[in-house]
């Protein structure tokens, strides 16, 4: 019997509810492979799963993203072999661990030029930047957009991708150091949203017009300022809750502020289809291979330090991407 180290959550709460446990891992079942993780991606959604903002049946594993090596195939798995380097960023929770069984159909083969750490930092955040900029509101060269938390994991990828597409990205960031980092990755302007009036600055930077789209993952704290930054018939993309969920509101608000559109997208509805997911991943990995998008693993934590990793992420002490190393 194989043994696995896994992080389990037995009750919702702060980072301290996570515990590393050792358990038996059965042989992979039909359609599954057994993976040995080499790097695990830390994503803000993991905090929502841990805190109970996105409730899961308990006890639960945690984590959506990892890179690693196939150790064994279950019955019926084709096109993969032990030793293959693979990664994933959707599927059942449980990436925080050193080994697991996982559905083969959700795996992506990793290109030679992308390290395991880079892959674990890139798939979920990179495919999020992909669907936001290329699908939810497909940006066009010459447009100006507002992207919150521009120095974060998703943010730094979005800055680079927007620049590559000829888009003027106005970012927001929580400190001057973070603002500089976002600029170094392609943001044209960065607003210090803990000090400055976001909508006022956006109006100044757009000749009073506002932007056609706001990508907002901060949620509660930025909601009003985001709506007020939009041009008439602009699109509000609210895709996260780093500061807490957006409070209930009346649809009349959208009318009063300029016949605005609103969407609350999630990655899983954009890459749930395998063909679409593989095409999106190919586009992302190609931009990385060509040096258009630089990966940004800026924090590394041992899996045993998972509590400290969550404290850092929620405490706004990280920039770019973070990986956990089993
Ligand atoms: P980040 O690395 O961007 O970390 C979150 C950042 O949010 C912080 O670094 C901080 O940057 C900013 N922030 C603003 N207010 C707060 C607050 N009160 N508490 C904590 N952080 C705050 O995380 P990720 O790249 O992993 O994810 C970015 C966002 O995108 C998250 O909200 C996540 O849930 C969302 N997301 C949504 C997806 C979807 O499909 N809907 C998919 C992937 C991510 P600063 O200090 O500069 O303000």
């Amino acid at each position: 019997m194989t043994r696995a180290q896994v992080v389990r959550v037995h009750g919702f709460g702060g980072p301290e509810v996570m515990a590393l446990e050792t358990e038996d891992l059965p042989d992979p079942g039909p359609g599954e492979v057994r993976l040995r993780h080499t790097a695990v991606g830390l994503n803000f959604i993991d905090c929502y799963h841990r805190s109970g903002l996105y409730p899961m049946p308990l006890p639960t594993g945690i984590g959506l993203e990892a890179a690693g090596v196939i150790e064994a195939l279950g019955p019926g798995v084709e096109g993969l072999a032990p030793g293959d380097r693979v990664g994933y960023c959707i599927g059942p929770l449980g990436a925080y661990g050193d080994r697991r069984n996982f559905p083969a159909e959700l795996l992506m083969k990793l290109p030679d030029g992308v390290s395991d750490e880079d892959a674990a930092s890139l798939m979920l955040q990179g495919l999020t930047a992909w669907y936001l900029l290329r699908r939810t509101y497909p940006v066009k060269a010459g447009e100006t957009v507002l992207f919150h938390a521009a120095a974060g994991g998703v943010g730094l990828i979005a800055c680079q991708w927007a620049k590559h597409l000829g888009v003027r990205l106005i970012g927001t960031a929580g400190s001057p150091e973070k603002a500089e980092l976002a600029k170094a990755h392609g943001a044209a302007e960065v607003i210090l949203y803990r000090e400055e009036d976001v909508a006022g600055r956006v109006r100044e930077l757009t000749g009073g017009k506002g932007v056609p789209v706001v990508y907002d993952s901060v949620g509660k704290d930025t909601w009003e300022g985001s709506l007020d930054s939009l041009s008439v018939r602009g699109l509000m993309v609210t895709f996260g809750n780093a500061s807490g969920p957006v409070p209930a509101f009346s649809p009349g608000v959208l009318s009063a502020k300029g016949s605005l559109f609103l969407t609350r997208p999630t990655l899983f509805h954009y890459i749930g289809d395998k063909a679409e997911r593989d095409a999106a991943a190919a586009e992302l990995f190609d931009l990385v291979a060509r040096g258009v998008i630089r990966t940004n693993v800026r924090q590394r934590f041992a899996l045993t330090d998972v509590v400290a990793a969550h404290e850092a992420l929620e405490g706004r002490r990280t920039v770019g991407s973070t990986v956990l190393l089993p």
Side-chain angles (χ1 to χ4, degrees):
M1 180 70 81
T2 308
R3 302 279 284 169
Q5 283 201 312
V6 293
V7 173
R8 290 260 175 257
V9 173
H10 291 275
F12 299 124
E16 70 286 351
V17 300
M18 294 180 292
L20 190 61
E21 299 173 1
T22 303
E23 58 186 38
D24 289 335
L25 187 63
D27 291 338
E32 289 184 337
V33 303
R34 187 174 74 229
L35 293 176
R36 178 174 59 80
H37 289 162
T38 48
V40 174
L42 182 73
N43 292 288
F44 216 95
I45 191 172
D46 307 341
C47 304
Y48 310 145
H49 288 137
R50 187 213 71 223
S51 71
L53 180 64
Y54 296 173
M56 306 295 298
L58 293 174
T60 180
I62 183 167
L64 283 166
E65 178 178 41
V69 179
I70 295 180
E71 285 193 328
L73 303 182
V77 174
E78 291 175 2
L80 294 167
D84 282 355
R85 291 178 61 234
V86 292
Y88 62 87
C89 67
I90 56 169
L93 297 190
Y96 288 17
D98 66 349
R99 278 187 174 74
R100 75 182 298 190
N101 294 328
F102 193 79
E105 62 174 6
L106 297 177
L107 294 173
M108 296 177 241
K109 283 198 182 180
L110 301 183
D112 288 341
V114 177
S115 74
D116 292 10
E117 269 194 21
D118 283 344
S121 75
L122 189 67
M123 292 177 289
L124 197 148
Q125 294 171 351
L127 293 176
T128 298
W130 167 81
Y131 88 73
L132 292 171
L133 298 173
R134 308 274 287 137
R135 292 291 183 275
T136 306
Y137 179 94
V139 291
K140 294 178 281 303
E143 283 183 316
T144 302
V145 307
L146 177 62
F147 204 108
H148 286 296
V154 176
L156 285 187
I157 298 172
C159 287
Q160 299 176 81
W161 211 321
K163 174 135 198 221
H164 170 66
L165 295 170
V167 169
R168 177 180 177 230
L169 182 147
I170 303 173
T172 59
S175 71
E177 297 74 26
K178 289 185 177 188
E180 283 313 308
L181 189 66
K183 281 188 183 164
H185 284 77
E189 312 279 349
V190 180
I191 301 170
L192 295 174
Y193 55 1
R194 294 170 99 160
E195 299 162 19
E196 298 178 273
D197 165 33
V198 171
R201 284 286 291 135
V202 169
R203 296 278 162 198
E204 273 172 32
L205 292 166
T206 55
K209 192 162 172 259
V211 288
V213 61
V214 177
Y215 300 101
D216 187 336
S217 64
V218 174
K220 179 169 66 68
D221 289 357
T222 45
W223 168 252
E224 285 287 337
S226 293
L227 294 183
D228 289 335
S229 298
L230 283 162
S231 54
V232 169
R233 302 202 309 261
L235 175 64
M236 172 68 173
V237 183
T238 172
F239 70 101
N241 330 267
S243 67
V246 173
F249 70 98
S250 159
V253 168
L254 301 175
S255 155
K257 290 184 186 283
S259 298
L260 304 179
F261 293 85
L262 170 69
T263 184
R264 182 26 176 121
T266 183
L267 173 66
F268 314 105
H269 295 138
Y270 284 85
I271 62 165
D273 175 74
K274 181 164 170 50
E276 206 168 8
R277 178 169 66 249
D278 288 348
E283 188 175 340
L284 173 66
F285 286 138
D286 175 61
L287 291 178
V288 173
R290 291 197 280 132
V292 173
I293 293 177
R294 279 175 285 150
T295 54
N296 264 296
V297 180
R298 300 240 166 188
Q299 297 80 210
R300 293 174 180 80
F301 290 88
L303 187 59
T304 46
D305 292 331
V306 62
V307 171
H310 272 225
E311 285 169 351
L313 184 60
E314 288 180 300
R316 304 171 82 157
R317 295 194 300 277
T318 65
V319 291
S321 305
T322 305
V323 293
L324 301 170
L325 300 173

